[in-house]
Amino acid sequence: MSELFVRTLREDPVDAEVPSHRWLVRAGYVRRVAPGIYSWLPLGYRVLRNVEKIVREEMDAIGAQEVHLPALLPREPYEATGRWTEYGPNLFRLKDRRGGDYLLGPTHEEVFTLLVKDLYSSYKDLPLSLYQIQTKYRDEARPRAGVLRGREFVMKDSYSFDIDDAGLEKAYQLHRDAYVRIFNRLGFEYVIVHATSGAMGGSASEEFLAVAENGEDTFVRSPGGYAANVEAVHIPVPAPQSLEGAPAAHVEDTPNTPTIDTLVALANERHPRPDRPWTAADTLKNVVVMVRELDGTQRPLVIGLPGDRAVDEKRLAAHLEPAELEAFTEEDFADHPSLVKGYIGPTALGRESVSKIEFLVDPRVVEGTRWLTGANEPGQHVFELAVGRDFTPDGVIDVAEIRAGDPAPDGSGPLELARGIEMGHIFQLGRKYAEALGLKVLDQNGKLVTVTMGSYGVGVSRAVAAVAEGTCDEQGLCWPRELAPFDVQVLATGKGEEIATAAADLAHDLDQAGVSVLLDDRKASPGVKFADAEIMGMPTNVVVGRGLADGVLELRDRRTGERREIAVADALGEIVATVHGRPNLD
Ligand code: ATP
Ligand code: MG
């Protein structure tokens, strides 16, 4: 019989910003050891294993084979792919006693590639999909919400190996279908969105996001079915405009207009347009940031975008990766006197300009568009400054904020914004890793060809937190049956040997009947036991208490709150039917 002694529930003062995490701690599912590092206690570990089981079944079903590779890895393969450096500060790097460099695997592309290289040599060995469910390590800048974003966490990662693009496409689709089944079984609302591939490299990629108000990812979707992580949105680019007959640029005094609002107000007062008032969207705002390269060197970057838009920091960070984003400080301005704060304009920007500072513009700033923007003199702006005629930016950068109502890039309607938690990510990696590590096989014609790969991850420990977050209520956790640590919690409430014995016997019989049981036989008051059972969140609670004298027990459904009395004599059959579903007699 499965029996657990429930200790006094203690709350972890740290990391309580997400309600489900507080319940997971109070109910004794996880305990914090250090920031982003958690122990899994008996109840939590059972949920974790239930998630693993679902993932394992669905991976096995598409013919992927499970292996288990080390987490402690040598530097060389990661050096060969460039990731020893490119992974940046998130990589745990360490030395052994001989001074050799090692790392704790944040993801395992290199090791899988080498494993396949070691074992296989022919197209006849492919296609091949391998996976593992393994602990990963990432020195996250902001570990958050308990196991949702850990520095040590459990991931299922799989890798596909194919001889050609058609094979990769097929493997990708198989994984995508398996992921749909996994996330349907885990039972949360999710969306599949276009994604960027970040430090991983590669081309096509999609993310599975659990829809959650306090998720860290923002995604967009349109009525016509477009869905993307905001980081991956490429806005529609307007057509170039003709400059025929367009007025020449003219510099005007615009005293005391360091902000867009003050500038627009002054323009409307002193230089009104004949057709309509000036708006912020007519201005070109030039935002200066500092980019820190992996080797520590810094360089300024100016981003020109319509004045009614802000730069989206996450989109910019994703664009700059693996370089990092830093603020441009007062000292930086002092070091770059050609940048006149509040009045920065395109004519002083660009690699070929006096400042030599790289100048990239939003895709809306196309050839032939005319802008009201800084004239690089305090108190002066320039009107009608035209792209292609009066200035030429170094390139385009698509990092402005996306707003609700913006058009979807594929013309499928206005975008809506929502938040989510990334649960899974699938990539068509292509040949990047195989090329770097020399993974080649002989094709049908006896010619050596480079293998093409896919990489597919599911956040297994994160799924526990995400399901808890999606299902918990004011009283505590509320597990879907497939993930619950136990099918049933039996509560012995009330004094007397008889109650304790009846509860223990029932738990034993249920266990024999294939129902997993948590028996609360503590010497605590009924009120405490009821409240704790709500917090712990087993789908079915059975109360063995006062009613026993009259031959009845109480069955409680944690999710609906429904309660009903059942006769002791029928209890076993009733509970088994509740847990396993009643047989269909039609
Ligand atoms: P995120 O954007 O949330 O940092 P990622 O893009 O770095 O995630 P991947 O490298 O694609 O994540 O990893 C595959 C999966 O592993 C993710 O979809 C996520 O579910 C999970 N995962 C990633 N980082 C963590 C973490 N720190 N803690 C728990 N799970 C994680
Ligand atoms: Mg990702």
Side-chain angles (χ1 to χ4, degrees), residues 194-198 207 216-220 226-237 289 291 301 303-306 309-325 360-364 396-404 406-409 415 417 419:
H194 294 292
T196 51
S197 38
E207 283 168 355
E216 286 178 276
D217 286 71
T218 306
F219 67 93
V220 297
Y226 174 83
N229 193 310
V230 281
E231 293 169 13
V233 174
H234 300 291
I235 67 155
V237 181
V289 297
V291 180
L301 167 68
I303 298 159
L305 72 167
R309 300 257 167 188
V311 168
D312 179 326
E313 260 191 47
K314 277 191 109 179
R315 276 166 51 80
L316 177 57
H319 184 97
L320 295 174
E321 212 176 289
E324 292 199 18
L325 182 62
L360 302 175
V361 294
D362 183 84
R364 295 171 189 85
V396 170
I397 188 167
D398 189 359
V399 295
E401 53 167 342
I402 306 292
R403 288 198 296 236
D406 282 351
L415 295 175
L417 270 82
R419 296 182 80 83

Side-chain angles (χ1 to χ4, degrees), residues 399-558:
V399 295
E401 53 167 342
I402 306 292
R403 288 198 296 236
D406 282 351
D410 63 356
S412 61
L415 295 175
E416 166 208 3
L417 270 82
R419 296 182 80 83
I421 302 168
E422 185 187 322
M423 303 308 307
H425 198 164
I426 54 180
F427 295 91
Q428 294 190 17
L429 284 178
R431 297 183 173 79
K432 171 179 166 174
Y433 290 86
E435 239 150 44
L437 297 164
L439 170 58
K440 293 179 187 196
V441 296
L442 291 171
D443 72 3
Q444 268 151 311
N445 308 315
K447 214 177 86 211
L448 268 181
V449 293
T450 303
V451 168
T452 183
M453 293 169 54
S455 138
Y456 318 87
V458 171
V460 172
S461 47
R462 178 175 287 185
V464 175
V467 174
E469 181 64 15
T471 52
C472 74
D473 60 19
E474 313 278 86
Q475 278 70 48
L477 298 166
C478 189
W479 296 108
R481 221 169 253 296
E482 204 168 349
L483 293 194
F486 292 95
D487 295 317
V488 171
Q489 180 151 343
V490 174
L491 292 75
T493 61
K495 300 200 177 70
E497 264 313 290
E498 230 173 284
I499 287 176
T501 310
D505 287 350
L506 176 65
H508 178 264
D509 293 346
L510 284 168
D511 191 64
Q512 293 294 303
V515 171
S516 59
V517 185
L518 176 65
L519 173 62
D520 188 350
D521 56 0
R522 291 175 300 172
K523 295 205 178 353
S525 75
V528 166
K529 290 190 177 184
F530 289 137
D532 285 356
E534 304 256 275
I535 294 174
M536 284 187 281
M538 281 356 117
T540 304
N541 292 322
V542 180
V543 184
V544 183
R546 267 201 310 237
L548 188 67
D550 306 322
V552 292
L553 311 177
E554 191 183 75
L555 208 59
R556 294 183 172 194
D557 184 303
R558 172 65 183 86

Side-chain angles (χ1 to χ4, degrees), residues 87 106-107 138 140 147-151 153-155 200 207 216-217 422-425 427 457-462:
Y87 216 93
T107 164
R138 295 182 186 178
E140 299 276 357
V147 293
L148 205 54
R149 178 175 296 284
R151 295 197 298 161
F153 59 97
V154 181
M155 192 203 288
M200 215 74 91
E207 283 168 355
E216 286 178 276
D217 286 71
E422 185 187 322
M423 303 308 307
H425 198 164
F427 295 91
V458 171
V460 172
S461 47
R462 178 175 287 185

